[in-house]
Amino acid sequence: MTTPRLTTVPTNTGQTRTGSVVEFTGVTKRYGTHLALTDFDLTLAAGELVALLGPSGSGKTTALRVLAGLESTDAGRILINGDDVSGVATSRRDMGMVFQSYSLFPHLSAGENVEFGLRMRRVPAVERRERAAAALALVGLDAHYDRFAHQLSGGQQQRVALARALVTQPRVLLLDEPLSALDAKVRVGLREQIRRIQTELGITTLFVTHDQDEALAVADRVAVMRDGRLEQVGTPEELYTRPATAFIADFVGLSNRLAGVVRHGFAEVHGITLPLLDPSQADGPVQVFVRPEDLTLAAAGLPGDSLAGTVLLSSFLGSLRRTSVLLEQGGTVVVQHDVRERPEPGERVVVRFSGAPVPVEPDGADTTGARPTPS
Ligand code: ADP
Ligand code: MG
């Protein structure tokens, strides 16, 4: 099956659009005395999908709303293709938006919902119908033109919302937790579909989510927010393998946290010496972050690379297994391993460290709030 392309439909100007460049520079937004965004700098390249990731309340929606013009800013500038849009109304900023809650008009069919933005722009009826049908085909719902929201599943409603956002061929696509209300399987399928369509159209996209798996899976780059500020921006691989801060190490992916000490450019945990991600780290007591996949279960260890412990629990996760081990020296670690290894609770095991470089956090530093709040 060939996917009908939105760009085959003529635009008002008759031109095919390519992705726009979006720049936030020094954007600050206050609600009363609360700083929802502080000195926020972020550039989205043409056609890039950037995921804005962070715990609840970190300012993700605020960043999206100021870009859309739904909120004013207190300082800074927002540029689209070099033009300052600060004084431009939402309706003239040319953005497609999809939100978490299904926002279809219940009294309109799927097709009429998609046509809505075109109707506002006084596009003639025949062209409207044609473009809405093409947009619905893009999300695989061409057969559902006449269905009403209550006749569509949650995932289908979000696909209609996506078609509605794209039909006007916006310069930028804004998605605010578009998958959060859906169940896990639909969520994964739809995020892949969004990514495929976004890549095909080459539309610059800001994808807000509190779900790190989702962010890592769909984005060209991930921008992690904390308390209204950007903590780190990078490719999924960069964030995962080279977290700039302990907050990122803790928030992105799963990490064990172990008490240790930094001495002469290395981290020591219960007598095991590990290289530091940041060798300039000052000496002193720290929390050491170790990925479950950087630990293995072994029959016996060599001194200096392994610790003895007792299995607490082993969880089968389909393609892998995670086993928590209570260490003799105190503390619990999670080890990720092959499903064919089946440690039993109570079994004595040895946990071996791969020696991958570790991020650390000086004792007393604050990473509270690092864990995503389930919503
Ligand atoms: P996120 O989308 O990351 O969960 P938001 O951008 O919605 O976070 O909110 C950031 C902060 O700003 C939160 O502390 C929130 O309570 C506050 N906030 C958001 N919108 C408003 C508003 N309209 N009035 C007052 N405070 C708000
Ligand atoms: Mg939000």
Side-chain angles (χ1 to χ4, degrees), residues 31 34 36 54-63 71 176 208:
Y31 292 113
H34 180 77
S56 177
S58 57
K60 307 180 296 295
T61 294
T62 303
E71 300 285 352
D176 193 354
V208 164

Side-chain angles (χ1 to χ4, degrees), residues 31-54:
Y31 292 113
T33 56
H34 180 77
L35 275 164
L37 278 184
T38 308
D39 210 10
F40 185 84
D41 287 320
L42 178 66
T43 300
L44 287 79
E48 191 181 28
L49 190 159
V50 173
L52 208 48
L53 173 70

